[in-house]
Amino acid sequence: MKTHLAQYLIPLSAAALLLLGFAACDTLNNEKSEEISQEELEIAGQIIGSSLSDTEEGLFSSLYDAVSEVDEEGIQTRIQERNRDQDQHRDHGRGSESQYEYSYNPETGEHSVWFIRQFEGPHVSRSLKVRNLYIYTDINGRFIQFPKRQQDRIETIDYKGTREGITEGTYRSNRFYRFDQFYLDGVSSASRIMTLQGSHQGNGEMNAEILRRDVVTNRTYEIEMNLLDIRIDKEIVQENGNLEDGITGFISYRLTMTRTINGETNERNLSGIIELTGDGMALLRFDKLQQFFRIGLATGSVTRPDDSDGSNSDRPRS
C-alpha cells in the first residue's frame, strides 16, 4: 500500500496560522517569575545550532541525504558542492560510509538504506549510525524504482531518517539521537521552486564552551521542530552548490533542557521561531524575549547581532 509522509506533516496552508499561534503562545507562563539566564540562552542557541547544522549531522545533513541518490551501490548527493572551503570554519566533506546496506520494496515503493558514517576534520569529527527510508514518485504519483537512472522523473520525495551518534568539536561536543521526516515536492526540472514540509525531533546531551561568558556548561535536552512554508530555490542551489543559500521559510521549535547540580534537577522550556533568510543563515528568536541569535546553517555557528567583528562568536568547532 502506498503511504506518503505528507499525510502526517503540516499542510503549507496552515503555516501562517501556526506561525501566529506560536508568536502568541505564552509558553513561559510557568516561569515568568524566574529570569532566564544568559547562560541558558547561550546553551539553547548551541543546541539549536547543532540540531540544524549540516556539519554536525543536524536537520540540514538529513536534508542533503533526502535529496541524494541511493541504490545498492551507495548514497551520493545530487548537489554539486562548491564554495564550501571558502568558509574557514567549515569541515569540507560529507564523510565516508561503511557497512552500507540497501533494499527496495516494490509494493510500498520504499528504498531503505543503512550505514555508518564517519568524518575526521580539522575542527570537528563525527561518527554515527544512519537509517534512511525514501519513496520517490513521478508527476503521476507512480513509484520510481531506479532513482539514479530516472532522476529526471522524480517529482516528490518522501523521506524518513534516523541518526544516532557523536560529534566532537573544538568548543562543543554532542551525543544525540535524531529523527527527521520530510516531504519534498517540485523536485523535477519542471519547476524552479521546491517546497518542503516536515519535522525534526532530537534528544541528547551537549557540552559547550560559551566563549562570551568564559564558562563550560552542559545540558541534556529534547527538541521538536516543525517546518513551515519552506521553499528551496533550485537555481540558487545550483549556482552556489549548497542548499543553505537557497532556502527560505520558518521553523517553529520547542526545547526542553535539563541540568542536575548537587542532586537538584532544573528544567527549562523554551520555544520560538527560526527564520531561514536565504543567505546561509537563520535568525533564532525566543518567545517573549527581544534577544535573537544568528545561526550559520552549514556549521551551526552562533553569533549575536553585536558580534560585528566576529570576536564574540561562539565558533563551536573552529
Side-chain angles (χ1 to χ4, degrees):
M1 183 178 66
K2 180 179 178 181
T3 59
H4 284 274
L5 295 181
Q7 63 184 305
Y8 301 108
L9 304 181
I10 300 171
L12 287 175
S13 60
L17 291 176
L18 277 174
L19 183 57
L20 291 174
F22 271 97
C25 181
D26 186 0
T27 60
L28 303 178
N29 272 342
N30 295 332
E31 301 170 292
K32 59 185 178 182
S33 62
E34 181 183 353
E35 290 280 337
I36 301 176
S37 71
Q38 290 301 308
E39 180 181 320
E40 287 177 309
L41 291 180
E42 298 281 3
I43 188 65
Q46 297 294 334
I47 291 170
I48 293 171
S50 177
S51 297
L52 290 172
S53 166
D54 174 32
T55 299
E56 292 190 24
E57 295 292 340
L59 184 151
F60 269 81
S61 181
S62 283
L63 186 54
Y64 274 101
D65 277 358
V67 297
S68 293
E69 300 168 348
V70 298
D71 62 10
E72 65 277 1
E73 295 182 357
I75 178 171
Q76 182 177 359
T77 180
R78 299 176 67 186
I79 310 295
Q80 183 63 43
E81 292 189 324
R82 293 188 294 273
N83 302 329
R84 293 298 199 180
D85 55 355
Q86 293 180 9
D87 183 346
Q88 62 177 331
H89 302 320
R90 179 174 179 91
D91 286 84
H92 183 76
R94 304 211 54 76
S96 60
E97 288 83 33
S98 62
Q99 301 184 35
Y100 182 88
E101 298 178 9
Y102 167 86
S103 65
Y104 175 68
N105 185 331
E107 294 185 1
T108 64
E110 287 185 338
H111 300 255
S112 176
V113 300
W114 186 96
F115 54 84
I116 292 175
R117 175 178 286 157
Q118 294 179 309
F119 179 82
E120 290 285 342
H123 307 299
V124 68
S125 63
R126 53 187 183 263
S127 176
L128 67 156
K129 299 176 181 178
V130 179
R131 172 73 183 276
N132 293 334
L133 293 174
Y134 304 79
I135 301 175
Y136 303 94
T137 60
D138 63 18
I139 197 168
N140 297 311
R142 294 186 294 256
F143 296 144
I144 293 177
Q145 182 175 354
F146 304 105
K148 281 190 177 181
R149 281 187 265 164
Q150 302 171 310
Q151 60 178 276
D152 292 340
R153 292 179 50 201
I154 299 173
E155 183 64 21
T156 70
I157 302 174
D158 283 347
Y159 168 88
K160 293 180 180 178
T162 61
R163 50 196 65 215
E164 179 179 7
I166 300 173
T167 60
E168 296 277 353
T170 306
Y171 293 101
R172 71 184 180 213
S173 62
N174 192 12
R175 181 184 298 272
F176 58 84
Y177 175 86
R178 291 167 173 160
F179 172 69
D180 296 280
Q181 53 181 10
F182 303 138
Y183 182 77
L184 295 116
D185 196 4
V187 179
S188 74
S189 58
S191 62
R192 171 178 174 173
I193 300 298
M194 182 164 48
T195 60
L196 170 64
Q197 303 175 65
S199 62
H200 169 93
Q201 295 177 308
N203 60 72
E205 181 176 3
M206 174 173 284
N207 294 278
E209 181 179 352
I210 309 299
L211 299 185
R212 280 185 289 263
R213 306 189 64 79
D214 195 26
V215 297
V216 177
T217 188
N218 72 295
R219 298 290 190 281
T220 58
Y221 65 89
E222 296 181 2
I223 188 167
E224 297 181 5
M225 297 181 180
N226 284 302
L227 283 62
L228 312 173
D229 196 20
I230 304 293
R231 297 176 180 272
I232 301 171
D233 189 316
K234 291 184 286 186
E235 287 188 11
I236 294 177
V237 169
Q238 183 176 8
E239 179 181 351
N240 293 341
N242 67 77
L243 288 165
E244 294 90 339
D245 287 334
I247 191 166
T248 57
F250 298 90
I251 301 174
S252 64
Y253 70 88
R254 297 182 184 275
L255 171 65
T256 299
M257 301 185 300
T258 305
R259 188 184 191 189
T260 301
I261 301 176
N262 297 327
E264 181 178 350
T265 299
N266 297 308
E267 183 177 285
R268 172 67 70 187
N269 297 296
L270 296 169
S271 63
I273 291 290
I274 301 162
E275 180 183 358
L276 307 176
T277 52
D279 58 356
M281 304 296 292
L283 300 180
L284 169 61
R285 305 182 188 276
F286 303 93
D287 285 346
K288 297 189 67 177
L289 298 175
Q290 297 297 317
Q291 302 179 62
F292 66 94
F293 296 152
R294 286 174 58 84
I295 294 176
L297 297 174
T299 65
S301 61
V302 182
T303 57
R304 286 179 180 263
D306 57 357
D307 295 342
S308 57
D309 62 355
S311 61
N312 292 324
S313 170
D314 285 333
R315 297 177 302 160
R317 67 193 66 75
S318 58

